[in-house]
Amino acid sequence: MDLPIQLAGLKQNFKGEITTSEADIEHYSKDASIFQIAPQAIVFPNDVRDVQELVKFVAAHKPAYPTLSITPRGGGTDMTGGSINDSIIIDTTRHLNNISDLTNESVSTQSGVMFRDLEVKLAAQNRMMPAYPVSKAWVAVGGMVGNNSGGEKTFKYGQVKNFVEELEVVLGDGNVYIIKPLNETELQQKLALQNFEGNFYREIHSLIIDNYRLLQEAKPTTSKNSSGYFLWDVWDGKTFDLTQLFVGSQGTLGVITKIKWRLVPVHRHTRLLEVFLQDFKQLGKLVPHVNDVDAAGFEI
């Protein structure tokens, strides 16, 4: 497929930028992983409507060109190659970078917000979203959701999936949907819809209910897990929470355009304990004691 020629149709309704320059192709062919894959084009949506236009464009052309795809990219710090592909890269950091509705309990961000900018705003209000990775100075919040990021404070607070309250997502039909926890009444209303959204909820609901025991048995017991597709966390018998499925999915289920985050207070005082070991064999004996003191972080 000669993608630059095909993109002429997209440009008619796309307000953002589309580039196929050699320099941009080279830059976006790499992330923090060992892999290198050259995309055919990079797009910078100006707003959510642009994201919708892109998804509809891909959906319309994919039957004729099966390899056509979209990969969302934030800061490009993924170490597994999750932010590169050989088709279309969508970079939201240029324009979809608004922070809004900041309170003591929550804040909303578009997916292209850099975490370093969010952190400054939160610190001014003595609040934080503690599930940030060590690369927090270079990551975009959309990528943090896609990877279910965690870092130095994960030991105490958990990963990103513990702090996402709501997601705005463009799904495969090109429409915008709000993904959030649903009670049983709200879930039944979704399941009754006779449209794309209803089918979406019915298929996932059936998958989980039909395999509930197997999913619970397969649930990892690790405190940190970035493998994605956390089906075992979607339904607990009272709440159906699809944010738990989208977090960690690396943009494969839809393009996330906005996130509502839960916030926690910043503790004014902290303490640091350094332990020096003669050899690594002592580490196993140390871990239970660290667990007992409820440390915020534990690094080696």
Side-chain angles (χ1 to χ4, degrees):
M1 177 183 183
D2 191 354
L3 188 58
I5 294 177
Q6 295 293 333
L7 285 176
L10 174 63
K11 291 180 180 179
Q12 295 176 4
N13 300 311
F14 195 85
K15 294 178 291 186
E17 300 83 46
I18 302 173
T19 177
T20 58
S21 74
E22 289 187 14
D24 288 327
I25 294 296
E26 170 68 18
H27 175 74
Y28 284 89
S29 68
K30 295 174 286 188
D31 56 9
S33 71
I34 62 173
F35 307 109
Q36 182 169 359
I37 304 174
Q40 296 186 57
I42 303 97
V43 301
F44 303 90
N46 190 63
D47 52 25
V48 177
R49 185 174 293 276
D50 270 355
V51 178
Q52 293 180 260
E53 290 293 334
L54 176 63
V55 172
K56 291 176 181 178
F57 167 85
V58 170
H61 289 82
K62 195 169 182 64
Y65 305 99
T67 60
L68 185 60
S69 66
I70 304 170
T71 294
R73 179 183 174 113
T77 60
D78 189 276
M79 300 184 70
T80 64
S83 57
I84 57 178
N85 80 0
D86 60 357
S87 191
I88 300 174
I89 298 289
I90 176 172
D91 186 339
T92 60
T93 61
R94 184 174 293 185
H95 302 298
L96 294 178
N97 51 27
N98 183 54
I99 300 172
S100 61
D101 304 318
L102 173 58
T103 69
N104 284 336
E105 288 74 38
S106 64
V107 65
S108 293
T109 66
Q110 289 184 296
S111 58
V113 169
M114 302 304 289
F115 183 79
R116 59 177 179 263
D117 298 325
L118 175 62
E119 187 175 42
V120 170
K121 284 188 174 291
L122 297 184
Q125 199 156 318
N126 198 40
R127 290 296 183 272
M128 67 176 176
M129 197 295 291
Y132 53 80
V134 67
S135 55
K136 65 177 183 175
W138 305 284
V139 300
V141 295
M144 291 171 60
V145 174
N147 288 321
N148 188 30
S149 291
E152 62 183 63
K153 296 186 182 297
T154 295
F155 202 66
K156 180 178 180 66
Y157 292 100
Q159 292 183 261
V160 160
K161 72 185 184 71
N162 303 112
F163 289 89
V164 172
E165 294 189 340
E166 188 174 294
L167 294 172
E168 178 187 87
V169 183
V170 178
L171 294 182
D173 65 341
N175 290 322
V176 179
Y177 297 94
I178 300 300
I179 306 296
K180 63 180 181 179
L182 303 175
N183 60 35
E184 291 188 68
T185 300
E186 293 169 328
L187 173 60
Q188 291 304 318
Q189 292 172 347
K190 294 291 187 183
L191 295 176
L193 294 174
Q194 298 303 311
N195 54 17
F196 180 93
E197 185 179 19
N199 290 334
F200 172 71
Y201 274 92
R202 281 190 294 274
E203 289 183 9
I204 297 177
H205 181 261
S206 295
L207 178 65
I208 292 173
I209 297 303
D210 293 346
N211 300 279
Y212 191 78
R213 182 180 61 82
L214 290 175
L215 289 170
Q216 294 306 312
E217 291 175 353
K219 182 177 180 178
T221 58
T222 57
S223 61
K224 188 174 187 295
N225 177 13
S226 295
S227 64
Y229 306 120
F230 309 126
L231 284 165
W232 44 74
D233 289 333
V234 173
W235 174 245
D236 63 2
K238 294 182 179 179
T239 303
F240 193 80
D241 185 3
L242 280 182
T243 67
Q244 299 300 296
L245 180 60
F246 278 81
V247 172
S249 64
Q250 291 198 332
T252 58
L253 303 179
V255 180
I256 295 170
T257 52
K258 192 174 183 179
I259 306 112
K260 182 180 179 182
W261 301 91
R262 179 172 68 88
L263 304 178
V264 296
V266 175
H267 293 291
R268 184 176 298 275
H269 302 290
T270 61
R271 291 177 295 176
L272 174 67
L273 172 66
E274 293 188 34
V275 180
F276 298 92
L277 304 179
Q278 294 289 344
D279 60 63
F280 281 116
K281 293 180 181 179
Q282 295 177 309
L283 185 60
K285 298 179 181 180
L286 177 64
V287 170
H289 297 289
V290 175
N291 284 332
D292 289 341
V293 300
D294 192 29
F298 183 34
E299 299 287 342
I300 183 170

